[in-house]
Amino acid sequence: MAALRLPVSGLTVEFRSPTGADDVLLAEAPAGDWPLALQLLERLVVSDSEVDFGALTVSDGDALLLLLRRAQGLDWLRASVMCPDCGEPMEVAFSAGDYLAHNEPQTTESVVALDEPGWFGLDGTDVSFRLPRVRDLLELSGWEDSRAELVRRCVRPARVSARRLRLVEEAMEALAPSLSRELEVRCPECRHELNVELDVQLYCTAELRLVARSVFEDVHAIAASFHWPEREILALPRERRLRYAELARSAA
Ligand SMILES: [Zn+2]
C-alpha cells in the first residue's frame, strides 16, 4: 500500500480496505453528506499521527475522497446528462487521477504566508485570508447566506472591495483549487457547450453507498451457506466477503 500525498497540506495518508462493518455504516446512513464522509475517513485512513479531517481545506477533503475511492479501484467519474440544445443523452467521464493532476495547487506571487498558521496576506494590501475548511462547510450547511458567512470567516478585514475579494478568490483558487465545481463540457452531437456540476463529496458518498448496499444480502448468503456469525462476516474485507458471497450463491 503506497502512501498518498494530499495536494494542499502535503499530509501523507494510506487507506485500509473497507470491511462489512464499514459497508453497513454506508448502507444504513440516511444520506451521503460530509458527516458521513468524515466518519468514513476516520475509519479508513491510516496515518502515523491523528488527523483532524474537519480542519483540512475543502480542496484536500475532496482530494482525499477521490483518493479513497481510487484505493478501492474506482478511478473514473461518470455522469449521464442530456444536452439542453439537441436533447441527445451524453456521458461525461474522466479519470480522477488525471483530474487531480490537472488541478495541482500553484504557487502565486501575490500572497505571503503570515505568522498566524493557515493565514495568508494579499501582497501590497492589508487584506488577509485563510482557505475554507471542511468544518466550514459542515457548520454552514443549511445557512441562508453561507457564501457571505464563509467570506466573513475567511477574509479580513470585514469590509473588502469587490475587486480585492476577487483577487483573494483567485489566490485561494491557486493555492487550493476547487475540485467541486462546474465543469465545461461540449456535446459530441451538436457542439453545444454546457456546464455539469460536480460535487465530489456527494458523488463519492453516493457511489460508495451504492457499492456497499449488497452487504446485507452478502451476509445472508454467507451465513446460510457457511453458518458463520454476522460479526465475523462483517469483519471480512469487502473483496473477500464478495467472493464468499458469490461462492455461497452459486452453491445454493
Ligand atoms: Zn447537443
Side-chain angles (χ1 to χ4, degrees), residues 34 57-67 179-180 199-201:
W34 270 114
T57 58
V58 176
S59 187
D60 265 1
D62 279 348
L64 190 53
L65 290 174
L66 290 175
L67 293 172
L179 300 172
S180 293
D199 183 317
V200 170
Q201 177 272 115

Side-chain angles (χ1 to χ4, degrees), residues 83 86 187 190:
C83 173
C86 71
C187 170
C190 72

Side-chain angles (χ1 to χ4, degrees), residues 11-32:
L11 188 76
T12 54
V13 292
E14 294 179 29
F15 301 101
R16 69 163 173 79
S17 300
T19 63
D22 300 313
D23 283 343
V24 165
L25 170 80
L26 282 162
E28 286 185 340

Side-chain angles (χ1 to χ4, degrees), residues 120-191:
F120 301 90
L122 199 58
D123 205 20
T125 72
D126 64 341
V127 178
S128 58
F129 67 91
R130 68 163 173 84
L131 298 167
R133 300 175 190 139
V134 170
R135 189 165 290 118
D136 292 314
L137 294 191
L138 270 175
E139 290 169 358
L140 295 182
S141 93
W143 276 53
E144 206 160 296
D145 198 354
S146 55
R147 189 177 175 276
E149 173 59 16
L150 193 61
V151 170
R152 196 192 65 74
R153 289 176 173 211
C154 297
V155 183
R156 295 173 188 159
R159 292 194 180 279
V160 178
S161 71
R163 199 184 73 83
R164 285 197 168 163
L165 191 56
R166 201 166 58 243
L167 292 176
V168 166
E169 285 170 344
E170 279 171 18
M172 284 178 170
E173 192 57 34
L175 295 170
S178 304
L179 300 172
S180 293
R181 58 183 154 91
E182 303 232 301
L183 305 174
E184 279 174 26
V185 295
R186 195 184 280 277
C187 170
E189 289 296 321
C190 72
R191 316 301 295 159

Side-chain angles (χ1 to χ4, degrees), residues 25 37 51 71 91 94 97-98 107 124 145 148 186 188 207 211:
L25 170 80
V51 183
E91 192 183 58
F94 56 93
D98 289 348
T107 51
D145 198 354
R186 195 184 280 277
E207 178 188 51
V211 171

Side-chain angles (χ1 to χ4, degrees), residues 96-112:
D98 289 348
Y99 187 60
L100 286 169
H102 284 136
N103 289 285
E104 284 271 347
Q106 311 285 323
T107 51
T108 165
E109 284 175 5
S110 64
V111 300
V112 285

